[in-house]
Amino acid sequence: MPDAKTIVHCSLYIIIHYMETVLITGGTGTIGRRLTQLLQEQGYAVSLLSRSPKPQPGVTTYAWDVDAGELDPRALENADHIVHLAGAGIADGRWTDARKREIIDSRTRSTELLAEALRNTKHHVKSFISSSAIGYYGGDTGDRPMSEHSAAGTDFLAKVTRAWERSVEPIEAMGIRTVRIRTGVVLTMEGGALPKLVQPVRLGAGAPIGTGQQYISWIHIDDICAMYIQALRNPVWSGVYNGVAPKPVTNADLTRLIAKVLDKPMVLPNIPAFVIKLMFGELAITVLGSSFVLNRRITEETTFQYKFPDLRKALEDLL
């Protein structure tokens, strides 16, 4: 009978040997950083694709260059799952023609490079989980409920997302299980919209934007990351899912609730829409547009459990 030391060594070998590896693109972004942390806590090994690989504790980083069409094949050889988050920030600058091209290309060309590399590399990738966006339905859909079965919009945001999702089809055609998560407004204090909304409220200058009646389909950062993890872990997940919390809220309600959680007054009038349009141009639709998006496939077809289905609890956790 083996001694205790031998049993421990064998157990460690088995754990390490069967530890699955998740390869993340866009891993240094807001979602990517938190997702890496949660995956590691759940026993996954994490590797990243980066334009400028730098050593990170507990993470293996491989090089890729989308513009040059180059990708270190070892990244795919060692991966069990791929989570594809890479893409230029939608709201990081005015939508000039050049910026629009960059937003689209950063998503489609990076996916095309991954598809080509998967075609030409011996790998054992089981699933490909791609980020997408609720912009698929259009930047302003009013108060019409949108589900995964709703038609695509026709504006720039819809154009970006349609091209983004189409670029994943060749990977699906290889027989790799693919999931596209159409992500809503992710609430986190590490980036995105929430810090921009919180700052003026903290200073006593918070106010709804435009009419304030435009809907926001939001989700807590930990819940969207948990969706990615369940999507790669559960082979039942396939196709498109809306990555949003169960109940969209209006901009006015979100702003008021932030003020209530922070115990700050709301005394200023709404910020006029024309001011936002003057400041941001066409990009203004990202804050003035209304999106009432429902998570029907999540609630009806999966066992996913939200940690923060309620906005107040989500804000109390984050603030």
Side-chain angles (χ1 to χ4, degrees):
M1 183 174 178
D3 59 21
K5 187 175 181 181
T6 302
I7 292 172
V8 169
H9 284 168
C10 289
S11 299
L12 286 173
Y13 173 81
I14 291 169
I15 291 170
I16 293 168
H17 185 69
Y18 286 100
M19 179 185 289
E20 290 194 319
T21 297
V22 181
L23 174 65
I24 303 177
T25 75
T28 57
T30 304
I31 294 177
R33 292 194 302 272
R34 182 59 175 154
L35 179 59
T36 295
Q37 182 181 359
L38 293 175
L39 282 166
Q40 290 175 325
E41 288 175 2
Q42 295 189 31
Y44 288 91
V46 176
S47 57
L48 306 179
L49 279 172
S50 174
R51 286 173 296 180
S52 50
K54 296 175 182 176
Q56 293 188 45
V59 175
T60 303
T61 306
Y62 300 98
W64 75 333
D65 186 329
V66 176
D67 292 334
E70 297 172 351
L71 186 156
D72 187 335
R74 293 176 299 170
L76 301 183
E77 291 167 358
N78 297 322
D80 295 284
H81 309 275
I82 298 174
V83 175
H84 184 33
L85 304 173
I90 289 285
D92 288 355
R94 275 180 170 263
W95 286 351
T96 62
D97 288 344
R99 180 62 181 170
K100 285 182 175 180
R101 188 74 258 157
E102 180 185 1
I103 288 170
I104 294 175
D105 286 350
S106 65
R107 287 159 172 76
T108 59
R109 291 180 62 190
S110 60
T111 313
E112 289 162 4
L113 177 57
L114 286 165
E116 182 182 0
L118 285 166
R119 220 176 274 119
N120 297 319
T121 304
K122 186 176 180 180
H123 65 82
H124 53 272
V125 173
K126 302 173 186 175
S127 67
F128 187 92
I129 318 300
S130 177
S131 179
S132 183
I134 59 172
Y136 176 89
Y137 309 106
D140 186 5
T141 55
D143 59 359
R144 289 176 294 140
M146 295 288 165
S147 75
E148 291 88 349
H149 303 295
S150 299
T154 58
D155 61 10
F156 172 64
L157 289 175
K159 179 182 178 182
V160 171
T161 316
R162 290 199 313 272
W164 196 358
E165 293 190 4
R166 280 198 305 269
S167 68
V168 178
E169 291 173 2
I171 295 173
E172 188 173 27
M174 296 177 206
I176 297 172
R177 181 175 61 88
T178 64
V179 178
R180 302 164 182 85
I181 297 182
R182 292 176 183 161
T183 307
V185 176
V186 177
L187 298 185
T188 171
M189 286 304 291
E190 302 304 315
L194 188 59
K196 298 180 178 69
L197 292 170
V198 166
Q199 186 178 16
V201 174
R202 286 193 193 279
L203 298 173
I209 297 170
T211 66
Q213 297 309 301
Q214 64 272 34
Y215 279 96
I216 297 170
S217 296
W218 63 277
I219 187 165
H220 189 288
I221 180 73
D222 284 357
D223 279 333
I224 193 65
C225 289
M227 276 187 194
Y228 277 103
I229 294 172
Q230 191 162 136
L232 67 85
R233 175 181 288 163
N234 191 334
V236 171
W237 285 55
S238 182
V240 171
Y241 298 84
N242 286 334
V244 294
K247 295 180 181 178
V249 297
T250 65
N251 174 270
D253 286 343
L254 173 59
T255 309
R256 290 191 195 103
L257 198 49
I258 290 171
K260 191 173 290 186
V261 170
L262 293 175
D263 195 22
K264 295 290 184 180
M266 287 278 291
V267 295
L268 296 180
N270 291 22
I271 302 170
F274 78 86
V275 173
I276 303 299
K277 290 177 181 177
L278 283 174
M279 291 173 63
F280 299 107
E282 192 180 353
L283 177 62
I285 195 171
T286 60
V287 289
L288 295 175
S290 179
S291 294
F292 194 101
V293 178
L294 302 176
N295 57 350
R296 284 191 178 149
R297 287 202 68 200
I298 294 289
T299 56
E300 295 174 7
E301 301 178 25
T302 77
T303 58
F304 183 81
Q305 296 293 314
Y306 287 86
K307 187 177 179 182
F308 298 100
D310 177 75
L311 179 60
R312 175 153 193 155
K313 289 182 179 177
L315 290 174
E316 286 173 350
D317 175 71
L318 295 165
L319 302 180

